[in-house]
Amino acid sequence: MGEFDLIEKYFTWDDSSTHQSDSASIIKGIGDDGAILKCPANQHLVTSVDTLVSGVHFPEDTDPQAIGHKALAVNLSDLAAMGATPTWFTLALTLPDSNDNWLSAFSSGLKKIAQAFDIKLIGGDTTRGPLSITINVMGFVNSNETLLRDGAKPSEKIYVTGTLGGAALGLKAHQNSLSASQKSLLNTADFDACIHQLNYPNPRIAESVVIANYASACMDISDGLLQDLSHLTNLSGTGAEIDLNKLPLPKALAKLKDEDAWSFALSGGDDYELLFTVAETKVSDFERALHHLSTPIRCIGVITSEKGKISDTTGRLLNKTSQSQGYDHFS
Ligand code: ADP
Ligand code: MG
């Protein structure tokens, strides 16, 4: 199968069932040298790109359907972190060979999440080499509703969506590197739930629409809470105090010893939840607005004035211990 047949067969979808606003539209999509897009007036374009490399961002034996889902989900999570509504994406695919089974599972996972979030594939690139998937997403945000990392101020409350640490536990379970005592506390349903969290992250787009009305700073958690929180606090010129007992743990993690559970939740990575801050004056309105959402959103701490310091409620420094490092590709 040639490159053009491959694109036609797997990446040209009938999108007639989805609707996008009239103000953002595709003038030319897949098939020419570039896409031509009409952008809505009075909104800002937000764009972000993420690459998933086989063996680095997902285990080599991952179900290709999950790879298709995750490749777009991690990018949608970045749009959510910016308060943007997804509109279009491009796909640069490097494949070792053109394997029909792999491509059909990958494209079905990708198509399913693309349609669920009403984001359209407008072009890409297809090359041969070690498996890697790069997706560039585009979305729009009202100019007064952008969510940046650098807006947190002392005394603001720190919130996270969903639960933390499940995906990291899933990865360790998949790699068979949990300790015997950890394994003894968990059952098959726990492992399956965590591996599902690892493979099928749920981008918090709907939550972000609500959060954008109240938050002063926001980002998504991809490399572990502590590492990502330290980006947010450093850029904001602040510190943070985290109440470890408030960390939202998935069922499986809640069965582990506190220190083990906290380590996964603080430093695990692959959560793709939103981390954001809300000023005290807005907290009660914000918490009322949360009743409209089905996703749990939990306050886990408070922004402090001591720049660079992230501690627990007893004053113990959290971001200087060896177990608290998040994922860094170059360290
Ligand atoms: P060029 O030769 O100009 O680089 P290509 O031959 O790479 O163009 O691609 C032809 C068309 O197919 C372009 O519109 C491109 O955006 C699209 N395309 C290529 N690969 C993919 C892909 N993996 N997914 C979606 N569209 C793709
Ligand atoms: Mg060309």
Side-chain angles (χ1 to χ4, degrees):
M1 184 172 37
E3 182 188 328
F4 298 101
D5 299 329
L6 185 154
I7 295 162
E8 174 67 29
K9 185 163 177 196
Y10 295 110
F11 300 109
T12 312
W13 305 322
D14 174 15
D15 267 342
S16 52
S17 60
T18 58
H19 310 275
Q20 293 199 320
S21 75
D22 291 338
S23 47
S25 57
I26 302 167
I27 294 166
K28 183 71 207 178
I30 293 174
D32 215 303
D33 291 306
I36 305 180
L37 307 163
K38 183 170 167 284
C39 298
N42 308 321
Q43 288 201 303
H44 290 330
L45 172 69
V46 179
T47 176
S48 180
V49 63
D50 258 320
T51 297
L52 299 194
V53 176
S54 178
V56 178
H57 299 93
F58 54 87
E60 272 160 29
D61 58 356
T62 302
D63 177 357
Q65 174 134 4
I67 301 172
H69 174 97
K70 189 165 180 175
L72 186 53
V74 303
N75 277 284
L76 288 169
S77 178
D78 283 319
L79 287 182
M82 301 300 290
T85 302
T87 313
W88 306 305
F89 72 105
T90 61
L91 167 68
L93 199 53
T94 303
L95 300 169
D97 50 36
S98 88
N99 175 317
D100 251 321
N101 289 337
W102 192 94
L103 275 161
S104 94
F106 173 83
S107 83
S108 104
L110 182 68
K111 178 178 174 181
K112 205 162 160 199
I113 182 173
Q115 293 186 335
F117 287 90
D118 198 12
I119 184 166
K120 290 187 174 153
L121 181 59
I122 53 154
D125 196 24
T126 309
T127 52
R128 190 185 289 267
L131 178 61
S132 130
I133 303 110
T134 297
I135 285 183
N136 173 213
V137 279
M138 284 151 270
F140 290 93
V141 66
N142 290 329
S143 51
N144 56 344
E145 283 169 15
T146 53
L147 282 172
L148 303 180
R149 294 178 174 187
D150 65 2
K153 288 176 206 67
S155 87
E156 290 185 351
K157 290 201 167 179
I158 303 169
Y159 290 84
V160 291
T161 59
T163 60
L164 300 175
L169 179 64
L171 180 62
K172 276 212 156 177
H174 181 86
Q175 294 168 333
N176 205 12
S177 54
L178 290 171
S179 70
S181 69
Q182 288 172 337
K183 268 195 260 180
S184 70
L185 297 169
L186 303 170
N187 59 34
T188 312
D190 296 325
F191 293 129
D192 289 349
C194 289
I195 289 171
H196 193 267
Q197 279 193 305
L198 173 70
N199 287 336
Y200 289 91
N202 195 351
R204 301 304 191 184
I205 296 288
E207 294 77 2
S208 143
V209 172
V210 175
I211 290 166
N213 291 315
Y214 302 93
S216 25
C218 182
M219 68 182 299
D220 72 327
I221 308 172
S222 53
D223 298 325
L225 172 67
L226 275 186
Q227 180 166 310
D228 287 326
L229 178 59
S230 73
H231 293 314
L232 187 148
T233 53
N234 287 339
L235 286 166
S236 300
T238 67
E241 184 186 284
I242 298 297
D243 185 342
L244 296 174
N245 291 304
K246 295 216 174 110
L247 291 174
L249 304 175
K251 236 175 87 199
L253 274 188
K255 295 182 175 178
L256 302 181
K257 283 194 296 198
D258 281 350
E259 292 289 333
D260 282 356
W262 291 337
S263 168
F264 279 113
L266 290 171
S267 323
D270 267 320
D271 295 306
Y272 300 103
E273 296 294 349
L274 296 179
L275 165 69
F276 58 98
T277 66
V278 177
E280 278 174 298
T281 52
K282 294 186 177 173
V283 160
S284 57
D285 284 348
F286 171 64
E287 296 202 343
R288 215 166 305 127
L290 292 184
H291 298 320
H292 301 293
L293 296 174
S294 52
T295 307
I297 294 182
R298 168 110 46 108
C299 177
I300 58 162
V302 64
I303 294 290
T304 61
S305 56
E306 216 171 325
K307 188 179 175 190
K309 184 176 171 192
I310 299 178
S311 58
D312 67 11
T313 49
T314 70
R316 179 171 60 140
L317 206 57
L318 294 174
N319 55 338
K320 290 278 153 33
T321 57
S322 60
Q323 61 162 5
S324 70
Q325 301 304 311
Y327 194 79
D328 181 334
H329 286 273
F330 294 101
S331 68

